[in-house]
């Protein structure tokens, strides 16, 4: 089955057809490193990590580029009045993003360019736009250069807006503009701005506008035409609209397909700084196991709004624990049988159909849980052949989504002192219970089992001994 994805420009599901057979180039708008990452940044990064992993699972060679916007008005503003240089602030925050992405298992990009490393490429595009009659340098001596929106009849095609209905561009003041909707390609250096934030150019010292940065970085590393451009829904306008217009006006075919992920709502309200309901990545990562966070952040359909509410992480923990419990139980029960080690990692057709259908992860996760249910039933019936088959399917599906709770990367991040202490205490009680059973002191054995059960810990007696697990 062909992978189908929702193209935001076409407003329709589209069969994915790569430019180069067997290869896919993806550009995703990464963070503007002005302040610490929040839950919305994690959700967006995870969406494209899932997409990348699915292409990889299907045998594509993926070139995945995610940029870092390390020069921007907000970065300069946040550094102003402090002892920290703007470039030091940007790098410090960039490291926070990298650590947060890594914590939830987001794979590193093939390349992660910084805007400040592509200034010459940005200037080359601006020069082409001026030559083509779609941009102009102001004649007021400021050094500003703007995209001439009136000169490009297709402006607004991504979001299906007419120029007359658009609000003034908010990325710069209106000095020297021919039209208030024209957006900045190059911003002339202003008095009071750090000299380190200015580069020489044919139009005077200055720095790039936000939108030209992504046009330059995407085509620098993926070529003038590439397969997929992704980003958050909040970037469709004006950022992606402006990227599309300036790239096409400069003569580049640019992205074949546009993908946008939904945003995050906190208890029914859109998350925003003005509402004071932002949930920062650091506090989120401290509140649950990393694999649980990955499960939660990736469980909703990528185009839908992700709802964060009290109890959301507890629900995700219970779901992950059900998967974890089956994997551990299956490995124990198959040990010593002729089916030990026979699990073949193959995703079932229902899972594949869900993922091929616009990355329908909620349906794919439903297939995982149904397979877990059937696997537990097979173990109950001691149908070890069926259990081994279903174990392989669960392992394959959870590996594709990066949520296999038994994978080594998660174990190394969750082996906390508290968990080690809990494990030692429970193992001691399980040992005491086993001793009582061997002595036929069933009253004590039952009491220990009941006490552990009240604490949410289940005991399963198997031919290889008693094993415990946290209830899901």
């Amino acid at each position: 089955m062909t992978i189908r994805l929702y193209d935001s420009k076409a407003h329709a599901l589209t069969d994915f057809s790569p430019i180069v057979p067997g290869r896919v180039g993806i550009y995703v708008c990464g963070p503007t490193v002005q302040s610490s990452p929040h839950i919305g940044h994690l959700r967006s990064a995870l969406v494209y990590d899932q997409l990348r992993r699915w292409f990889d699972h299907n045998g594509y060679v993926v070139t995945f580029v995610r940029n870092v916007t390390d020069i921007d008005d907000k970065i300069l503003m946040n550094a102003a009045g402090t002892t920290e240089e703007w470039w030091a602030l940007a790098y410090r925050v960039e490291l926070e993003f990298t650590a947060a992405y890594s914590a939830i298992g987001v794979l590193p990009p093939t390349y992660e360019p910084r805007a400040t490393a592509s200034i010459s490429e940005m200037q080359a595009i601006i020069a082409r736009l001026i030559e083509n009659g779609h941009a102009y340098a102001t004649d007021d001596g400021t050094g500003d250069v703007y995209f001439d929106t009136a000169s490009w009849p297709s402006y607004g095609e991504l979001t299906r807006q007419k120029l007359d209905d658009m609000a003034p561009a908010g990325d710069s003041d209106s000095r020297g503009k021919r039209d208030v909707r024209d957006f900045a390609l190059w911003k002339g250096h202003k008095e009071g701005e750090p000299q380190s934030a200015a580069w020489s150019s044919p139009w005077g010292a200055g720095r790039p506008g936000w939108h030209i940065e992504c046009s330059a970085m995407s085509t620098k590393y993926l070529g003038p035409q590439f397969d997929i451009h992704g980003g958050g829904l909040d970037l469709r306008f004006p950022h992606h609209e402006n990227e599309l217009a300036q790239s096409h006006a400069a003569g580049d075919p640019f992205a074949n397909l546009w993908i946008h992920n939904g945003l995050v709502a906190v208890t029914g309200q859109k998350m925003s700084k003005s509402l004071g309901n932002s949930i920062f990545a650091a506090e989120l990562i401290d509140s649950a196991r990393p694999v649980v966070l990955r499960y939660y952040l990736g469980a909703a359909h990528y185009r839908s709004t992700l709802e964060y509410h009290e109890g959301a992480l507890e629900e995700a923990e219970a779901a992950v624990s059900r998967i974890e419990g089956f994997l551990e139980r299956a490995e124990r029960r198959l040990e010593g049988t002729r089916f030990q080690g026979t699990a073949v990692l193959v995703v079932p057709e229902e899972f594949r159909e869900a993922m091929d259908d616009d990355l329908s992860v909620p349906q794919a996760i439903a297939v995982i849980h149904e397979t877990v249910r059937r696997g537990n039933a097979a173990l109950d019936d001691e149908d070890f052949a069926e259990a081994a088959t279903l174990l392989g399917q669960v392992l394959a599906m959870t590996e594709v989504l990066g949520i296999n709770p038994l994978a080594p990367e998660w174990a190394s991040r969750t082996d906390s002192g508290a968990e080690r202490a809990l494990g030692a205490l429970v193992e001691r009680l399980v040992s005491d219970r086993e001793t009582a059973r061997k002595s036929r002191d069933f009253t004590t054995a039952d009491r220990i089992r009941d006490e552990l059960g009240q604490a949410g810990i289940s005991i399963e007696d198997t031919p290889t001994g008693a094993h415990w697990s946290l209830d899901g």
Side-chain angles (χ1 to χ4, degrees), residues 37-43 46 100 103-104 264 266 271 278-294 296-298 306-309 312-313:
H38 55 64
I39 185 175
H41 295 119
L42 295 185
R43 195 273 171 107
L46 181 52
I104 60 169
V264 176
V266 179
M271 189 183 72
S278 295
I279 300 172
F280 289 96
E283 60 184 294
L284 195 69
I285 290 168
D286 286 341
S287 64
R289 292 193 288 163
V291 67
V292 170
L293 290 179
R294 183 177 177 94
Y296 160 69
L297 291 167
L306 177 66
E307 293 284 345
Y308 182 86
H309 58 273
L313 295 182

Side-chain angles (χ1 to χ4, degrees), residues 78-328:
N78 288 351
T82 74
T83 59
E84 189 173 29
E85 297 284 356
W86 66 269
W87 42 263
L89 181 151
Y91 184 56
R92 173 174 58 79
V93 174
E94 179 186 334
L95 292 178
E96 289 185 40
F97 273 87
T98 300
Y101 293 155
S102 177
I104 60 169
V106 172
L107 299 172
T110 309
Y111 194 64
E112 194 167 25
R114 296 185 184 125
T116 52
S118 297
I119 300 295
S120 60
E121 288 80 6
M122 298 172 200
Q123 292 181 356
I125 296 175
I126 294 171
R128 282 156 54 195
L129 287 169
I130 293 174
E131 183 180 354
N132 292 347
H134 298 301
Y136 58 92
T138 59
D139 54 9
D140 56 3
T142 59
D144 293 341
V145 182
Y146 293 102
F147 183 84
D148 186 355
T149 53
S151 75
W152 190 247
S154 298
Y155 185 61
E157 63 180 322
L158 180 66
T159 52
R160 300 194 176 186
Q161 297 184 78
K162 295 181 179 179
L163 185 61
D164 291 343
D165 298 330
M166 294 182 189
D171 63 337
S172 58
D173 56 40
S174 58
R175 63 180 188 178
K177 284 188 180 182
R178 296 175 182 172
D179 188 301
V180 293
R181 289 157 296 200
D182 295 349
F183 57 87
L185 299 171
W186 189 259
K187 298 182 177 184
H189 183 69
K190 297 178 183 177
E191 185 178 350
E193 292 181 343
Q195 291 294 329
S196 58
W199 289 260
S200 60
S201 83
W203 318 286
R207 54 190 168 85
W210 175 32
H211 314 299
I212 198 66
E213 294 180 350
C214 285
S215 285
M217 287 184 282
S218 58
T219 53
K220 179 178 181 178
Y221 295 102
L222 295 175
Q225 184 176 19
F226 54 94
D227 295 295
I228 296 173
H229 192 311
L233 188 63
D234 54 331
L235 298 180
R236 286 181 69 234
F237 188 87
H239 185 48
H240 289 167
E241 187 73 75
N242 292 349
E243 273 190 70
L244 176 63
Q246 68 198 9
S247 295
H248 280 187
D252 290 335
F254 211 51
N256 277 5
L257 192 152
W258 291 80
I259 296 178
H260 291 93
N261 64 275
L263 306 181
V264 176
V266 179
T267 318
Q269 286 187 307
K270 177 184 175 182
M271 189 183 72
S272 69
K273 289 182 180 179
S274 61
L275 292 175
N277 62 351
S278 295
I279 300 172
F280 289 96
E283 60 184 294
L284 195 69
I285 290 168
D286 286 341
S287 64
R289 292 193 288 163
V291 67
V292 170
L293 290 179
R294 183 177 177 94
Y295 181 99
Y296 160 69
L297 291 167
H301 191 277
Y302 78 90
R303 287 195 285 123
S304 67
T305 299
L306 177 66
E307 293 284 345
Y308 182 86
H309 58 273
E310 187 175 350
L313 295 182
E314 288 78 2
E315 293 169 5
E317 172 64 51
V320 171
S321 293
R322 284 193 293 274
I323 298 169
E324 191 172 27
F326 165 69
L327 294 176
E328 291 176 339

Side-chain angles (χ1 to χ4, degrees), residues 326-353:
F326 165 69
L327 294 176
E328 291 176 339
R329 183 184 180 211
E331 289 184 356
R332 288 196 307 268
R333 296 298 303 277
L334 293 174
E335 185 178 353
T337 74
R338 65 187 180 92
F339 299 101
Q340 181 179 352
T342 63
V344 179
L345 274 62
V346 177
V347 299
E349 190 58 32
E350 296 86 353
F351 181 91
R352 175 173 293 281
E353 289 175 356

